[in-house]
Amino acid sequence: MLYEYGHIGILVLIALIFPIGALATSWALQFVNIRPTSKPDVVRDDIYECGLRTEGPSRVQFNFRFYYIALLFVLLDVEIVFLFPWALVFDDVGWVGYGKGMLFIGTFVIGGVYAWRKRALEWRL
Amino acid sequence: MDGFGVTVAFWILAAVTLVAGGGVMVSRNLLHAVLFLILSFIGVAGFFVLLSAEFIAMAQVIIYVGAITVLILFAVLLTPRASRDNSETVWALPGMLLAVCLAAIFLFVVHDTQWKTVTDAPLLTTQDLGHALLGTWVLPFEIASVLLTAALVGAIMLTRSAEEEAEDALA
């Protein structure tokens, strides 16, 4: 059982190869004179963002409503943690277990309906 | 349980967790510090997997790596002086003292405890947990959902401004 987690190690290796490979390639290219210069200049130090010129500072204060969305995400996250064990025994517990899980979700749906009716899910300025 | 792979995994995870934890302190950029914190949390989740506590590992990834760090990141984004660095503070010395005291207590506890080792760990799988949640502990399970709903309603109450209330009263 524990050894099956060893496969994650392989995935981690693959995940590491990509960024390290990109950095190493970039580093190696300086020896073959493809990269024009390593000296700082205006174009080289320009902020790359989707090809558009950036305007203004990149750090601006965000709307407080973002934090509300984050809170909503945290609550749903905790909900998911409880649903994991339920989903794993889904086949064994039958309709009664299904009903218990649905009651669990349904209670939270009441909160969701409240949020919807209070128009908390809309973006208002 | 014991094996070469497990030992190697333990030391790699220990190195990752400690280096990331140090990174949180050393990093001058607040956002980089949060990213290091995520790495540290993932390392701890790896320890839980090594202890065969899969559910806790999963909860660690979902709650700490997912939820807690998102909250911290949003708190940083919403702070007016968000671009400020992880600056020097007057609390550096008291913090250091407190950390040393805490480390001393932990070392004492670790050294003094009689760690029992069992050859066959009682393997509690997530399936067992699911059966327990739907059987004996079904009431706490449902009440947890009520608690979450209360938190959701409370969050809406707190974040709504007076103008929004007035606007909705008309509609």
Side-chain angles (χ1 to χ4, degrees):
Chain A
M1 187 65 190
L2 202 55
Y3 282 96
E4 288 167 22
Y5 280 99
H7 299 307
I8 294 179
I10 298 169
L11 292 178
V12 169
L13 275 183
I14 295 172
L16 282 176
I17 284 171
F18 275 87
I20 290 174
L23 288 174
T25 314
S26 172
W27 174 81
L29 279 179
Q30 69 181 319
F31 298 112
V32 285
N33 264 337
I34 290 177
R35 202 168 74 173
T37 173
S38 57
K39 272 181 248 138
D41 67 51
V42 182
V43 178
R44 183 178 173 275
D45 290 346
D46 202 17
I47 303 165
Y48 177 77
E49 187 130 19
C50 307
L52 290 173
R53 285 217 160 269
T54 50
E55 284 183 23
S58 54
R59 295 263 180 92
V60 294
Q61 197 186 349
F62 284 79
N63 193 317
F64 176 75
R65 298 193 68 84
F66 279 116
Y67 199 73
Y68 170 71
I69 304 293
L71 277 176
L72 213 63
F73 165 69
V74 170
L75 288 172
L76 283 168
D77 230 27
V78 178
E79 179 99 355
I80 295 278
V81 166
F82 281 101
L83 289 182
F84 253 94
W86 176 62
L88 278 173
V89 294
F90 204 76
D91 290 336
D92 304 341
V93 290
W95 286 105
V96 179
Y98 175 78
K100 287 169 183 171
M102 277 299 141
L103 186 64
F104 182 80
I105 299 173
T107 318
F108 196 71
V109 166
I110 295 173
V113 169
Y114 177 79
W116 175 50
R117 291 299 297 164
K118 282 281 182 182
R119 297 171 64 204
L121 303 174
E122 293 172 30
W123 190 262
R124 290 190 284 186
L125 296 170
Chain B
M1 172 70 197
D2 260 330
F4 181 69
V6 173
T7 315
V8 169
F10 172 79
W11 286 109
I12 291 177
L13 283 172
V16 167
T17 310
L18 286 179
V19 167
V24 176
M25 289 192 297
V26 174
S27 166
R28 305 314 313 165
N29 188 322
L30 212 49
L31 282 176
H32 292 175
V34 178
L35 293 179
F36 272 122
L37 191 66
I38 293 175
L39 192 60
S40 188
F41 281 152
I42 290 175
V44 173
F47 283 129
F48 284 133
V49 169
L50 281 186
L51 291 169
S52 300
E54 293 164 299
F55 180 74
I56 303 180
M58 186 272 295
Q60 168 84 11
V61 170
I62 289 184
I63 302 224
Y64 278 84
V65 179
I68 302 284
T69 46
V70 161
L71 279 185
I72 296 176
L73 274 176
F74 273 70
V76 170
L77 288 179
L78 291 164
T79 311
R81 290 175 57 213
S83 59
R84 75 175 157 203
D85 298 329
N86 203 355
S87 59
E88 311 281 345
T89 69
V90 289
W91 294 99
L93 194 66
M96 203 86 90
L97 277 174
L98 199 65
V100 169
C101 291
L102 201 64
I105 293 172
F106 278 158
L107 278 178
F108 177 73
V109 168
V110 166
H111 185 258
D112 228 41
T113 310
Q114 294 217 321
W115 297 102
K116 284 182 184 166
T117 48
V118 285
T119 43
D120 285 316
L123 199 62
L124 186 76
T125 60
T126 314
Q127 278 92 339
D128 297 335
L129 203 69
H131 281 298
L133 268 183
L134 293 176
T136 321
W137 308 106
V138 68
L139 195 62
F141 176 64
E142 304 294 351
I143 288 176
S145 186
V146 175
L147 180 70
L148 286 172
T149 310
L152 175 60
V153 172
I156 294 169
M157 297 291 288
L158 284 174
T159 51
R160 278 165 68 86
S161 59
E163 296 93 69
E164 283 174 357
E165 287 288 350
E167 194 185 314
D168 286 350
L170 293 173

